[in-house]
Amino acid sequence: MKKIFSLFLLCTTSLLFAADKAATVSRDTDLFSKPFKDAEIITELSAKTTITILKRKGGWYEIKTSEKQGWVRLTHVRLVRKGKGKQNDNSGVGEILSSLATGREKSDKVTTATAVKGLSEEELSNAEPDVDALNALDNFAVDENANNESGLATRKVDYLEGDSPTAKAEPETNSEDDE
Amino acid sequence: MNPLLRLIRLFLIISISAIAINAYAIGFGGFSLGGGSEEEDSNSFDIGEIIDGVKDISRTITGIDEEAEIEIGRDAAAVLLGASKPVNDPELQRYVNKVGRWVVNQTNRPQLPWRFAVLSSNHLNAFATPGGNIFITDGLLRTLNNEAELAAVLAHEVAHVIKKHHIKAMSSINTSGLSGVLKLAGQTSEGKNNFIAKEMVGQVKDMYLRGLDKDDEFEADRMGIVIASRAGYDPFALVAVLQTLDSINPESSGLELLYKTHPPAGDRLDRLDPALEQFEGSVEESPLLEQRFNKYVARRP
């Protein structure tokens, strides 16, 4: 009775991962008929097989190859790389930023804000501490007891073994609903 | 830390303590037992200071005073803010703080003075400092597609704070370990002309240029997914962020520091499977809050 995800939230899935994207599989991986571990295996795709992503469901992508269609694990997929730029060439980042921006209300390319200071190695190395800027962060802080405006409901999920910050169980185990 | 190292360290601490306590007993045994105040001791031999040092070393990183942790974190945050300023967009900054606050409220340390800020840098990166200062660059923010992805990035950074990964990293940079870091943090004086020790500034820079322990990065990925998921966000959103990063040429400018200090995005994806397994079949659909995200992020020029 560990985790009961009884929440069926009204969803706006799943533009999270853009559909119809060119990708490859990062390793030899099974192509399943359904998005489940125990589903029938259609075939094994060898590493680097080119695929097209159709949609996502949970931890799975529905994909097609030149011959087959089915489901593969999310983490075994790599999007085709953008930007062939060399070092000090901004094309990679620039390209992805502008291509992403097109999906949004304003399709302007990412404009370089005035007086942008970066966080390159050099800029970080030369930084002088700015305590005023630090104190100014207080202006936007949100109180611990502020209303949650996201509309999201919490879930009960445990850290993986060994990751927990305390030896004991997590604090929100109010054990109210434990039976 | 690996268990063997931990054991060796513990052994060292114990033996140093024993030596110091012996020295203390030999040196002052005769007259300081009853009332040997620290001032008296330090005048003569500084042995009190040695003992304090030992105490500091033995104070484990997880046991660091919260106040000291916050102080160190403020120093570190001031340095980062020296390199890049927050974007001048109060609504955006407030929004990121709302998302971040909801995320940290799902951890065991909601009481820290959490501050979130978008920094006006086109580099793709995010940073945390001890005590709860979290920064995301405008460049990274703009590559994200929705609030779930933002929460995923923030939750990764939050996990670093929860686990005090930076304190650990700084302690390994400082030749006196944690006690050295604590000492430097103590050199911050109150008041207007807040002063941060030069050495501290140097060590903070060192840490952010070198990055954290790679295993700590993987751990923050795993924990971040859990934290974001507790907050109700899609646990797979971090995968989306990493796949986006992986799809950008790693040699692009704007990614150098990220990749110098983090494992490649592909490796991080490879390592995420165990953390995602528990969501298998149970969380197929979660809100992404794309609209709310776009209201604050995409409206900008």
PDB file of all heavy atoms in Angstrom, chain A residues 131-155:
ATOM      1  N   VAL A 131      26.346  42.031  -2.732  1.00  0.00           N
ATOM      2  CA  VAL A 131      25.469  41.783  -1.584  1.00  0.00           C
ATOM      3  C   VAL A 131      24.122  42.502  -1.746  1.00  0.00           C
ATOM      4  O   VAL A 131      23.093  42.010  -1.305  1.00  0.00           O
ATOM      5  CB  VAL A 131      26.169  42.193  -0.268  1.00  0.00           C
ATOM      6  CG1 VAL A 131      25.228  42.040   0.923  1.00  0.00           C
ATOM      7  CG2 VAL A 131      27.413  41.350  -0.058  1.00  0.00           C
ATOM      8  N   ASP A 132      24.148  43.658  -2.414  1.00  0.00           N
ATOM      9  CA  ASP A 132      22.875  44.370  -2.627  1.00  0.00           C
ATOM     10  C   ASP A 132      21.923  43.529  -3.468  1.00  0.00           C
ATOM     11  O   ASP A 132      20.729  43.440  -3.166  1.00  0.00           O
ATOM     12  CB  ASP A 132      23.130  45.710  -3.330  1.00  0.00           C
ATOM     13  CG  ASP A 132      23.830  46.691  -2.400  1.00  0.00           C
ATOM     14  OD1 ASP A 132      23.755  46.474  -1.166  1.00  0.00           O
ATOM     15  OD2 ASP A 132      24.446  47.649  -2.894  1.00  0.00           O
ATOM     16  N   ALA A 133      22.461  42.942  -4.518  1.00  0.00           N
ATOM     17  CA  ALA A 133      21.615  42.093  -5.373  1.00  0.00           C
ATOM     18  C   ALA A 133      21.084  40.916  -4.569  1.00  0.00           C
ATOM     19  O   ALA A 133      19.938  40.502  -4.740  1.00  0.00           O
ATOM     20  CB  ALA A 133      22.413  41.595  -6.580  1.00  0.00           C
ATOM     21  N   LEU A 134      21.922  40.415  -3.687  1.00  0.00           N
ATOM     22  CA  LEU A 134      21.489  39.299  -2.836  1.00  0.00           C
ATOM     23  C   LEU A 134      20.325  39.716  -1.936  1.00  0.00           C
ATOM     24  O   LEU A 134      19.301  39.034  -1.875  1.00  0.00           O
ATOM     25  CB  LEU A 134      22.666  38.814  -1.988  1.00  0.00           C
ATOM     26  CG  LEU A 134      22.356  37.750  -0.945  1.00  0.00           C
ATOM     27  CD1 LEU A 134      21.939  36.445  -1.603  1.00  0.00           C
ATOM     28  CD2 LEU A 134      23.562  37.518  -0.040  1.00  0.00           C
ATOM     29  N   ASN A 135      20.473  40.855  -1.290  1.00  0.00           N
ATOM     30  CA  ASN A 135      19.409  41.311  -0.387  1.00  0.00           C
ATOM     31  C   ASN A 135      18.117  41.606  -1.143  1.00  0.00           C
ATOM     32  O   ASN A 135      17.022  41.439  -0.605  1.00  0.00           O
ATOM     33  CB  ASN A 135      19.871  42.551   0.381  1.00  0.00           C
ATOM     34  CG  ASN A 135      20.956  42.198   1.399  1.00  0.00           C
ATOM     35  OD1 ASN A 135      20.992  41.068   1.902  1.00  0.00           O
ATOM     36  ND2 ASN A 135      21.854  43.138   1.679  1.00  0.00           N
ATOM     37  N   ALA A 136      18.273  42.037  -2.392  1.00  0.00           N
ATOM     38  CA  ALA A 136      17.085  42.371  -3.181  1.00  0.00           C
ATOM     39  C   ALA A 136      16.250  41.142  -3.514  1.00  0.00           C
ATOM     40  O   ALA A 136      15.072  41.257  -3.870  1.00  0.00           O
ATOM     41  CB  ALA A 136      17.500  43.091  -4.472  1.00  0.00           C
ATOM     42  N   LEU A 137      16.840  39.960  -3.394  1.00  0.00           N
ATOM     43  CA  LEU A 137      16.072  38.737  -3.669  1.00  0.00           C
ATOM     44  C   LEU A 137      14.903  38.584  -2.700  1.00  0.00           C
ATOM     45  O   LEU A 137      13.902  37.951  -3.015  1.00  0.00           O
ATOM     46  CB  LEU A 137      16.961  37.487  -3.572  1.00  0.00           C
ATOM     47  CG  LEU A 137      18.158  37.359  -4.513  1.00  0.00           C
ATOM     48  CD1 LEU A 137      18.839  36.014  -4.291  1.00  0.00           C
ATOM     49  CD2 LEU A 137      17.741  37.506  -5.969  1.00  0.00           C
ATOM     50  N   ASP A 138      15.057  39.201  -1.524  1.00  0.00           N
ATOM     51  CA  ASP A 138      13.986  39.108  -0.523  1.00  0.00           C
ATOM     52  C   ASP A 138      12.654  39.630  -1.058  1.00  0.00           C
ATOM     53  O   ASP A 138      11.593  39.192  -0.633  1.00  0.00           O
ATOM     54  CB  ASP A 138      14.359  39.916   0.731  1.00  0.00           C
ATOM     55  CG  ASP A 138      15.534  39.297   1.473  1.00  0.00           C
ATOM     56  OD1 ASP A 138      15.938  38.174   1.104  1.00  0.00           O
ATOM     57  OD2 ASP A 138      16.058  39.936   2.406  1.00  0.00           O
ATOM     58  N   ASN A 139      12.732  40.586  -1.989  1.00  0.00           N
ATOM     59  CA  ASN A 139      11.512  41.215  -2.502  1.00  0.00           C
ATOM     60  C   ASN A 139      10.565  40.230  -3.168  1.00  0.00           C
ATOM     61  O   ASN A 139       9.375  40.488  -3.265  1.00  0.00           O
ATOM     62  CB  ASN A 139      11.867  42.302  -3.529  1.00  0.00           C
ATOM     63  CG  ASN A 139      12.687  43.403  -2.897  1.00  0.00           C
ATOM     64  OD1 ASN A 139      12.569  43.654  -1.701  1.00  0.00           O
ATOM     65  ND2 ASN A 139      13.543  44.045  -3.693  1.00  0.00           N
ATOM     66  N   PHE A 140      11.104  39.133  -3.652  1.00  0.00           N
ATOM     67  CA  PHE A 140      10.265  38.208  -4.428  1.00  0.00           C
ATOM     68  C   PHE A 140      10.026  36.891  -3.707  1.00  0.00           C
ATOM     69  O   PHE A 140       9.404  35.983  -4.238  1.00  0.00           O
ATOM     70  CB  PHE A 140      10.901  37.963  -5.796  1.00  0.00           C
ATOM     71  CG  PHE A 140      11.216  39.224  -6.522  1.00  0.00           C
ATOM     72  CD1 PHE A 140      12.537  39.618  -6.743  1.00  0.00           C
ATOM     73  CD2 PHE A 140      10.187  40.054  -6.960  1.00  0.00           C
ATOM     74  CE1 PHE A 140      12.817  40.807  -7.396  1.00  0.00           C
ATOM     75  CE2 PHE A 140      10.463  41.238  -7.609  1.00  0.00           C
ATOM     76  CZ  PHE A 140      11.782  41.629  -7.824  1.00  0.00           C
ATOM     77  N   ALA A 141      10.561  36.801  -2.518  1.00  0.00           N
ATOM     78  CA  ALA A 141      10.441  35.542  -1.786  1.00  0.00           C
ATOM     79  C   ALA A 141       8.982  35.221  -1.493  1.00  0.00           C
ATOM     80  O   ALA A 141       8.159  36.115  -1.286  1.00  0.00           O
ATOM     81  CB  ALA A 141      11.227  35.633  -0.490  1.00  0.00           C
ATOM     82  N   VAL A 142       8.674  33.956  -1.483  1.00  0.00           N
ATOM     83  CA  VAL A 142       7.318  33.504  -1.167  1.00  0.00           C
ATOM     84  C   VAL A 142       7.354  32.757   0.155  1.00  0.00           C
ATOM     85  O   VAL A 142       8.199  31.886   0.372  1.00  0.00           O
ATOM     86  CB  VAL A 142       6.755  32.604  -2.292  1.00  0.00           C
ATOM     87  CG1 VAL A 142       5.420  31.995  -1.881  1.00  0.00           C
ATOM     88  CG2 VAL A 142       6.595  33.406  -3.585  1.00  0.00           C
ATOM     89  N   ASP A 143       6.429  33.133   1.017  1.00  0.00           N
ATOM     90  CA  ASP A 143       6.390  32.581   2.358  1.00  0.00           C
ATOM     91  C   ASP A 143       6.007  31.096   2.351  1.00  0.00           C
ATOM     92  O   ASP A 143       5.264  30.631   1.495  1.00  0.00           O
ATOM     93  CB  ASP A 143       5.359  33.369   3.180  1.00  0.00           C
ATOM     94  CG  ASP A 143       5.334  32.925   4.616  1.00  0.00           C
ATOM     95  OD1 ASP A 143       6.265  33.303   5.352  1.00  0.00           O
ATOM     96  OD2 ASP A 143       4.408  32.181   4.994  1.00  0.00           O
ATOM     97  N   GLU A 144       6.524  30.415   3.346  1.00  0.00           N
ATOM     98  CA  GLU A 144       6.253  28.982   3.482  1.00  0.00           C
ATOM     99  C   GLU A 144       4.759  28.668   3.507  1.00  0.00           C
ATOM    100  O   GLU A 144       4.310  27.642   3.023  1.00  0.00           O
ATOM    101  CB  GLU A 144       6.921  28.460   4.773  1.00  0.00           C
ATOM    102  CG  GLU A 144       6.775  26.971   4.967  1.00  0.00           C
ATOM    103  CD  GLU A 144       7.435  26.478   6.258  1.00  0.00           C
ATOM    104  OE1 GLU A 144       8.235  27.226   6.846  1.00  0.00           O
ATOM    105  OE2 GLU A 144       7.137  25.347   6.661  1.00  0.00           O
ATOM    106  N   ASN A 145       3.990  29.573   4.106  1.00  0.00           N
ATOM    107  CA  ASN A 145       2.565  29.297   4.266  1.00  0.00           C
ATOM    108  C   ASN A 145       1.688  29.956   3.210  1.00  0.00           C
ATOM    109  O   ASN A 145       0.468  29.995   3.336  1.00  0.00           O
ATOM    110  CB  ASN A 145       2.111  29.739   5.657  1.00  0.00           C
ATOM    111  CG  ASN A 145       2.894  29.025   6.733  1.00  0.00           C
ATOM    112  OD1 ASN A 145       3.025  27.799   6.695  1.00  0.00           O
ATOM    113  ND2 ASN A 145       3.456  29.783   7.670  1.00  0.00           N
ATOM    114  N   ALA A 146       2.328  30.472   2.187  1.00  0.00           N
ATOM    115  CA  ALA A 146       1.559  31.119   1.124  1.00  0.00           C
ATOM    116  C   ALA A 146       0.654  30.103   0.442  1.00  0.00           C
ATOM    117  O   ALA A 146       0.935  28.908   0.419  1.00  0.00           O
ATOM    118  CB  ALA A 146       2.516  31.732   0.104  1.00  0.00           C
ATOM    119  N   ASN A 147      -0.435  30.616  -0.108  1.00  0.00           N
ATOM    120  CA  ASN A 147      -1.339  29.732  -0.843  1.00  0.00           C
ATOM    121  C   ASN A 147      -0.634  29.116  -2.033  1.00  0.00           C
ATOM    122  O   ASN A 147       0.142  29.770  -2.705  1.00  0.00           O
ATOM    123  CB  ASN A 147      -2.537  30.531  -1.363  1.00  0.00           C
ATOM    124  CG  ASN A 147      -3.534  30.773  -0.257  1.00  0.00           C
ATOM    125  OD1 ASN A 147      -3.571  30.041   0.730  1.00  0.00           O
ATOM    126  ND2 ASN A 147      -4.328  31.820  -0.417  1.00  0.00           N
ATOM    127  N   ASN A 148      -0.960  27.886  -2.284  1.00  0.00           N
ATOM    128  CA  ASN A 148      -0.440  27.243  -3.476  1.00  0.00           C
ATOM    129  C   ASN A 148      -1.364  27.594  -4.640  1.00  0.00           C
ATOM    130  O   ASN A 148      -2.511  27.191  -4.669  1.00  0.00           O
ATOM    131  CB  ASN A 148      -0.402  25.732  -3.259  1.00  0.00           C
ATOM    132  CG  ASN A 148      -0.273  24.980  -4.553  1.00  0.00           C
ATOM    133  OD1 ASN A 148       0.400  25.433  -5.469  1.00  0.00           O
ATOM    134  ND2 ASN A 148      -0.935  23.848  -4.645  1.00  0.00           N
ATOM    135  N   GLU A 149      -0.821  28.339  -5.575  1.00  0.00           N
ATOM    136  CA  GLU A 149      -1.655  28.794  -6.694  1.00  0.00           C
ATOM    137  C   GLU A 149      -1.601  27.864  -7.889  1.00  0.00           C
ATOM    138  O   GLU A 149      -2.229  28.111  -8.907  1.00  0.00           O
ATOM    139  CB  GLU A 149      -1.212  30.194  -7.130  1.00  0.00           C
ATOM    140  CG  GLU A 149      -1.440  31.239  -6.058  1.00  0.00           C
ATOM    141  CD  GLU A 149      -0.797  32.574  -6.416  1.00  0.00           C
ATOM    142  OE1 GLU A 149      -0.458  32.777  -7.604  1.00  0.00           O
ATOM    143  OE2 GLU A 149      -0.626  33.397  -5.514  1.00  0.00           O
ATOM    144  N   SER A 150      -0.792  26.828  -7.774  1.00  0.00           N
ATOM    145  CA  SER A 150      -0.601  25.963  -8.944  1.00  0.00           C
ATOM    146  C   SER A 150      -1.813  25.082  -9.202  1.00  0.00           C
ATOM    147  O   SER A 150      -2.021  24.608 -10.308  1.00  0.00           O
ATOM    148  CB  SER A 150       0.626  25.080  -8.742  1.00  0.00           C
ATOM    149  OG  SER A 150       0.376  24.151  -7.692  1.00  0.00           O
ATOM    150  N   GLY A 151      -2.605  24.844  -8.167  1.00  0.00           N
ATOM    151  CA  GLY A 151      -3.723  23.923  -8.323  1.00  0.00           C
ATOM    152  C   GLY A 151      -3.298  22.467  -8.294  1.00  0.00           C
ATOM    153  O   GLY A 151      -4.111  21.578  -8.502  1.00  0.00           O
ATOM    154  N   LEU A 152      -2.040  22.242  -8.036  1.00  0.00           N
ATOM    155  CA  LEU A 152      -1.543  20.865  -8.012  1.00  0.00           C
ATOM    156  C   LEU A 152      -1.815  20.220  -6.665  1.00  0.00           C
ATOM    157  O   LEU A 152      -1.728  20.867  -5.628  1.00  0.00           O
ATOM    158  CB  LEU A 152      -0.038  20.836  -8.273  1.00  0.00           C
ATOM    159  CG  LEU A 152       0.440  21.318  -9.638  1.00  0.00           C
ATOM    160  CD1 LEU A 152       1.958  21.379  -9.663  1.00  0.00           C
ATOM    161  CD2 LEU A 152      -0.084  20.397 -10.725  1.00  0.00           C
ATOM    162  N   ALA A 153      -2.099  18.952  -6.694  1.00  0.00           N
ATOM    163  CA  ALA A 153      -2.256  18.191  -5.453  1.00  0.00           C
ATOM    164  C   ALA A 153      -0.977  17.407  -5.210  1.00  0.00           C
ATOM    165  O   ALA A 153      -0.341  16.926  -6.154  1.00  0.00           O
ATOM    166  CB  ALA A 153      -3.434  17.241  -5.579  1.00  0.00           C
ATOM    167  N   THR A 154      -0.609  17.306  -3.955  1.00  0.00           N
ATOM    168  CA  THR A 154       0.642  16.597  -3.663  1.00  0.00           C
ATOM    169  C   THR A 154       0.442  15.087  -3.791  1.00  0.00           C
ATOM    170  O   THR A 154      -0.658  14.573  -3.689  1.00  0.00           O
ATOM    171  CB  THR A 154       1.124  16.889  -2.230  1.00  0.00           C
ATOM    172  OG1 THR A 154       0.074  16.558  -1.327  1.00  0.00           O
ATOM    173  CG2 THR A 154       1.489  18.348  -2.081  1.00  0.00           C
ATOM    174  N   ARG A 155       1.559  14.432  -4.016  1.00  0.00           N
ATOM    175  CA  ARG A 155       1.570  12.970  -4.035  1.00  0.00           C
ATOM    176  C   ARG A 155       2.511  12.495  -2.945  1.00  0.00           C
ATOM    177  O   ARG A 155       3.426  13.204  -2.553  1.00  0.00           O
ATOM    178  CB  ARG A 155       2.128  12.440  -5.353  1.00  0.00           C
ATOM    179  CG  ARG A 155       1.394  12.803  -6.587  1.00  0.00           C
ATOM    180  CD  ARG A 155       2.007  12.017  -7.747  1.00  0.00           C
ATOM    181  NE  ARG A 155       1.446  12.405  -9.014  1.00  0.00           N
ATOM    182  CZ  ARG A 155       2.092  13.148  -9.912  1.00  0.00           C
ATOM    183  NH1 ARG A 155       3.319  13.569  -9.670  1.00  0.00           N
ATOM    184  NH2 ARG A 155       1.518  13.464 -11.035  1.00  0.00           N
TER     185      ARG A 155
END
